[in-house]
Amino acid sequence: MSSSAFSSNIISFQDAVKNYGARKTIGPVNLDVKKGEVLGFLGPNGSGKTTCIRMMLGLIRPSSGKVLVNGLDPISNHVNSLRNVAYSPELPNIQTFLTPSELLSLVLHELHFKSSKQAEVRRVLELVGLLEYADTKVGKLSKGMVQRLSVAQALIGSPEVLILDEPMIGLDPAGSSHFRELFREFSKDNKGTVFMSSHMMSEVESICTSVALIHSGTILFQGSIDDVIRRALNYTAIIVESSPLSESTLLKIRGLEGISEVRREEANYGNTITEVIAKSGADNDLRSKLSELIVGSGAKLFTIKRADNLLERAYIEALRGKSGGKKEEKQIESH
């Protein structure tokens, strides 16, 4: 496959607007998702996320502008545009009298699947951790199991594009961890594209390669997670876990160039968690300097890493309008 194929847009919103009358207007939305990209689609309730997904799936028509999937209009060319696209809804409404095996066999029938249906059903049920419940009625499954089944019906038949609306809802920690690896594997080596709407910032930060934030029907920013954090926050945070640090060591940390704030709190087993706030872009160099300083002080260094919740902080700051939260669209180019 040529390199140009990997850079083509699988999903493209071009000044797409959906007018609901005087009550509400979504758009204009401009957003591109490339092949192999795992995009986290963020935004508060009522911001337009569901409307955008419905336009992608050809369920509603834009009032103006275009939405293209695989280069085609999902309204006028529904079958061809969505041929390799699968969807998992936020609140799946699955017939309770079916079993997972029956549901997935029915989906394969509708897809005109040519290979062994039984083998494919078994493969996908095992993939989502439902193999032992293959013949259990959906009505007897827990909420988390129904969510797994919703993702299973999206994965059946090996699609190339997944559109996921809150795929982690109802999952326990083990299930969430399993799905993170599942989605990473799906997109590995640019093989699959994922468009994931979610409110769970930690999941988005750990799974996605890029994010887009929509607010009041307008895209505030789009780009790689690192670029979005840098643009919206203008700072980064480094988390250090160590044995207790002396006041003189903390004073030296505060004196390092690029450090703007140091916060400390006690952790388990008498260890200390220290959060170091630094100017954006300085974190890589500072981690090395912090390690040398702490070890040189005689303290034991257990972990040093960038804070896990920076995307959530950037999201909140953008919505507050302090950096990226103005109503005009701000695109951050991914490299």
Side-chain angles (χ1 to χ4, degrees), residues 127 155 168 173-188 203 206-207:
L127 204 59
L155 290 169
M168 304 296 196
S176 296
S177 176
H178 178 74
F179 270 31
R180 282 196 296 270
E181 291 304 316
L182 187 62
F183 298 145
R184 289 191 193 109
E185 187 64 27
F186 179 84
S187 63
K188 190 176 180 181
E203 299 295 354
S206 65
I207 297 170

Side-chain angles (χ1 to χ4, degrees), residues 89-102:
E90 176 181 358
L91 298 172
N93 185 15
I94 300 173
Q95 291 86 347
T96 57
F97 57 83
L98 292 174
T99 67
S101 181
E102 290 169 341

Side-chain angles (χ1 to χ4, degrees), residues 27 42 54 100 115 154 176 242 278 298:
L42 311 176
R54 287 176 177 170
S115 302
S176 296
S242 67

Side-chain angles (χ1 to χ4, degrees), residues 24-251:
K24 189 174 185 179
T25 297
I26 302 298
V29 175
N30 288 286
L31 176 65
D32 293 322
V33 183
K34 294 179 170 54
K35 181 176 176 63
E37 190 171 354
V38 183
L39 182 131
F41 196 43
L42 311 176
N45 293 331
S47 59
K49 299 191 301 298
T50 299
T51 293
C52 288
I53 288 175
R54 287 176 177 170
M55 287 193 285
M56 276 189 288
L57 296 173
L59 299 177
I60 58 175
R61 185 186 302 275
S63 304
S64 62
K66 292 181 180 179
V67 177
L68 301 176
V69 180
N70 289 309
L72 302 171
D73 184 342
I75 294 286
S76 61
N77 206 332
H78 189 78
V79 173
N80 289 327
S81 67
L82 300 176
R83 188 178 300 278
N84 64 345
V85 177
Y87 170 57
S88 174
E90 176 181 358
L91 298 172
N93 185 15
I94 300 173
Q95 291 86 347
T96 57
F97 57 83
L98 292 174
T99 67
S101 181
E102 290 169 341
L103 173 69
L104 297 182
S105 296
L106 180 62
V107 173
L108 287 176
H109 176 75
E110 293 299 316
L111 291 174
H112 304 290
F113 192 73
K114 303 299 182 184
S115 302
S116 169
K117 291 183 176 63
Q118 186 176 2
E120 176 66 1
V121 168
R122 181 180 178 84
R123 180 188 74 85
V124 173
L125 286 176
E126 190 170 16
L127 204 59
V128 300
L130 281 181
L131 188 57
E132 63 181 297
Y133 300 97
D135 299 317
T136 302
K137 297 293 185 183
V138 170
K140 294 184 177 180
L141 298 179
S142 68
K143 182 179 179 181
M145 290 177 185
V146 173
Q147 189 63 33
R148 287 174 183 255
L149 183 56
S150 176
V151 173
Q153 62 84 27
L155 290 169
I156 198 82
S158 300
E160 296 176 15
V161 182
L162 288 180
I163 298 175
L164 307 169
D165 195 356
E166 297 288 353
M168 304 296 196
I169 281 184
L171 295 180
D172 57 26
S176 296
S177 176
H178 178 74
F179 270 31
R180 282 196 296 270
E181 291 304 316
L182 187 62
F183 298 145
R184 289 191 193 109
E185 187 64 27
F186 179 84
S187 63
K188 190 176 180 181
D189 300 325
N190 289 323
K191 290 179 180 178
T193 305
V194 180
F195 184 102
M196 186 175 83
S197 172
S198 180
H199 286 106
M200 301 173 71
M201 298 295 130
S202 60
E203 299 295 354
V204 170
E205 193 166 4
S206 65
I207 297 170
C208 298
T209 58
S210 60
V211 295
L213 172 60
I214 187 170
H215 181 56
S216 298
T218 302
I219 301 293
L220 298 184
F221 54 57
Q222 178 190 2
S224 73
I225 290 178
D226 284 344
D227 285 345
V228 165
I229 290 171
R230 189 177 302 115
R231 176 70 171 270
L233 282 186
N234 199 31
Y235 75 83
T236 190
I238 303 165
I239 302 297
V240 176
E241 183 179 0
S242 67
S243 58
L245 301 177
S246 67
E247 288 301 324
S248 61
T249 302
L250 288 171
L251 189 61

